[in-house]
Amino acid sequence: QRALDAAQAAFGVGAGSLLEWIDAARMRIEVGDEEADAAAELLRAISALEARVGAPLPRAPLAALPEAP
């Protein structure tokens, strides 16, 4: 998201190209897709484990990772 924001700001003041902004937007979409794929894989693994043990697993929210500086 930061790269997209930076590219958008640069483009807005004429310091960046449209191609750079489009590339940053594409990368942001790809990261979102990878995040969704990982979340789906986690849910599939949990479901498979629950099926093996024959009972639902206790659910607790995952701790958020700190953002890189």
Side-chain angles (χ1 to χ4, degrees):
Q1 182 63 47
R2 290 180 188 166
L4 179 57
D5 292 342
Q8 185 171 356
F11 181 72
V13 297
S17 71
L18 179 59
L19 183 58
E20 290 169 335
W21 183 87
I22 290 171
D23 190 47
R26 180 191 52 77
M27 286 189 297
R28 175 65 181 107
I29 291 168
E30 286 178 4
V31 167
D33 287 348
E34 290 171 7
E35 183 180 11
D37 289 344
E41 181 61 30
L42 175 62
L43 291 175
R44 282 191 291 273
I46 290 170
S47 294
L49 185 56
E50 287 175 335
R52 289 253 187 201
V53 299
L57 298 172
R59 302 285 172 107
L62 296 174
L65 296 175
E67 287 195 25

